[in-house]
Amino acid sequence: MLHFDIVTIFPEFFAGPFSHGILKRAQETELVKITAHDLRRFTEDKHRTVDDRPFGGGAGMVLKAEPVFKAVESLIAAGMKHEFARREIILLSPQGKKFTQAEAFRLAERESIILICGRYEGVDERVAEHLATSELSIGDYVLTGGELAAAVVVDAVTRLIPGALGNEVSRALDSFSFTPAAGPTGKMDAAEVGGLSWPQYTRPEEFRGWKVPEILMSGNHREIQKWREEKARGKTARMRPDLLPNLEFKAVR
Ligand code: ADE
C-alpha cells in the first residue's frame, strides 16, 4: 500500500478531492492511504506560529523550518517500516522541477510519499535543501499554496497503481504515455513519455449535424490504428510542438 502523508495548514481542504471515484475506491481497496496532517500540531508556542517575516525584508510571510521538520520527522518515525529508498519527501512550490507523467510513474513505485504544502510567500529554504528529497511544481503559474498541487500529485500517481483503474489498458493509452512499449498490458518504462492522445467519439453517430469520422465505423482495425496515430501526431504538433522531438508514435490496438 502506498502511503501519502500531506503536511498542511489546511487539513480540511483534503476532505473533498479524494472522496470520489477512483481515488475513493483506491482508498477503500487499500491500494493507497491518504492522510492530511495539521502543521500547527507541530508548533510549540501558544499562538501555534507557523510563519514569520523574511530575513532581508520584503513583503509577506515565510513558512518556518522548525514545524515542517518536526512534522516530517514524526511521520518518518511513525513509518520506520518503509524502506528508506522507497520513501519520497516532496516540497510543492512554484520553484520546483516540473511534475510530469514520467515523474508520476516514478512515484507510483514508492511506499511512502510525504507531501509538504508551501504557503504564503514561501518556505524557509532549509526545507528544500535539507529535508525534501525533491521540490515539485505542477506548472508555470502561482497558486496560493501547495494544497491543490499536492492533490494533483496524489491523483496522478494513484491512478497509475496497478488495480486503481478498472481497465489497465486505458493507462497505456493516456496522453503523454503512449509509446511503442506501452502495449495492451499497460506496461511501460517511466522514461518513455509520448505525446497527446487521439480524439475519441461515442454515440450518437451524428450530433447536431456533426458526424463521427467514417473510419471509426469501418471495423478495419489496421486503418483505425493508422488514423489514430495520424490524429495524435497532428494534435501534438498543433497543441504541444514542444513534445514532438521525443515522440515516437505507435498507437496500440
Ligand atoms: N505552490 C504555489 N504554486 C505552485 C505550483 N505551481 N506548483 C506547486 N506548488 C505550488
Side-chain angles (χ1 to χ4, degrees):
M1 172 157 53
L2 171 49
H3 291 251
F4 290 102
D5 289 288
I6 305 171
V7 175
T8 171
I9 56 166
F10 296 129
E12 327 79 54
F13 176 93
F14 296 95
F18 307 134
S19 324
H20 312 277
I22 285 160
L23 271 288
K24 181 176 181 213
R25 197 180 57 200
Q27 292 171 89
E28 287 166 355
T29 57
E30 300 191 344
L31 292 175
V32 298
K33 184 169 168 63
I34 308 169
T35 317
H37 305 271
D38 188 353
L39 183 64
R40 289 190 199 279
R41 266 188 33 225
F42 301 91
T43 56
E44 273 160 21
D45 62 310
K46 80 168 193 278
H47 300 294
R48 307 218 282 168
T49 313
V50 290
D51 60 340
D52 207 339
R53 291 179 317 226
F55 277 121
M61 299 291 267
V62 175
L63 216 53
K64 289 159 67 68
E66 187 170 26
V68 177
F69 270 74
K70 282 197 169 136
V72 171
E73 283 160 359
S74 96
L75 289 168
I76 291 173
M80 283 310 273
K81 66 174 191 296
H82 302 305
E83 254 179 81
F84 175 75
R86 299 193 65 202
R87 178 187 297 122
E88 199 80 32
I89 302 168
I90 298 169
L91 172 64
L92 283 316
S93 95
Q95 284 80 42
K97 200 176 80 182
K98 185 94 65 80
F99 179 62
T100 60
Q101 189 67 12
E103 181 71 7
F105 271 104
R106 198 179 69 80
L107 293 176
E109 310 265 296
R110 296 291 177 268
E111 252 177 45
S112 160
I113 299 175
I114 297 173
L115 298 151
I116 304 163
C117 303
R119 270 276 141 186
Y120 306 111
E121 266 60 42
V123 179
D124 189 302
E125 189 66 15
R126 287 165 289 199
V127 170
E129 278 187 8
H130 304 296
L131 184 65
T133 52
S134 60
E135 184 171 4
L136 293 182
S137 162
I138 61 161
D140 292 339
Y141 37 78
V142 181
L143 305 168
T144 57
E147 280 76 11
L148 276 169
V152 165
V153 171
V154 170
D155 185 300
V157 172
T158 297
R159 65 184 288 287
L160 295 178
I161 297 171
L165 300 180
N167 169 6
E168 293 303 306
V169 178
S170 57
R171 213 162 56 114
L173 303 185
D174 291 339
S175 286
F176 310 109
S177 291
F178 73 93
T179 73
T185 60
K187 268 205 189 315
M188 51 181 298
D189 190 84
E192 294 169 326
V193 282
L196 306 183
S197 195
W198 55 74
Q200 301 274 32
Y201 298 86
T202 187
R203 290 187 297 178
E205 269 183 50
E206 186 175 331
F207 170 69
R208 297 188 179 175
W210 298 299
K211 292 207 174 76
V212 172
E214 202 83 45
I215 181 89
L216 296 177
M217 254 77 70
S218 69
N220 184 335
H221 293 295
R222 190 192 300 268
E223 286 303 307
I224 290 172
Q225 173 171 332
K226 240 174 66 192
W227 181 88
R228 285 180 164 166
E229 283 173 26
E230 277 165 26
K231 287 291 175 186
R233 179 179 288 284
K235 181 120 190 177
T236 305
R238 270 180 288 121
M239 309 298 275
R240 296 292 307 275
D242 56 305
L243 294 177
L244 274 180
N246 61 357
L247 199 61
E248 207 196 306
F249 271 124
K250 185 103 180 80
V252 290
R253 292 207 309 193

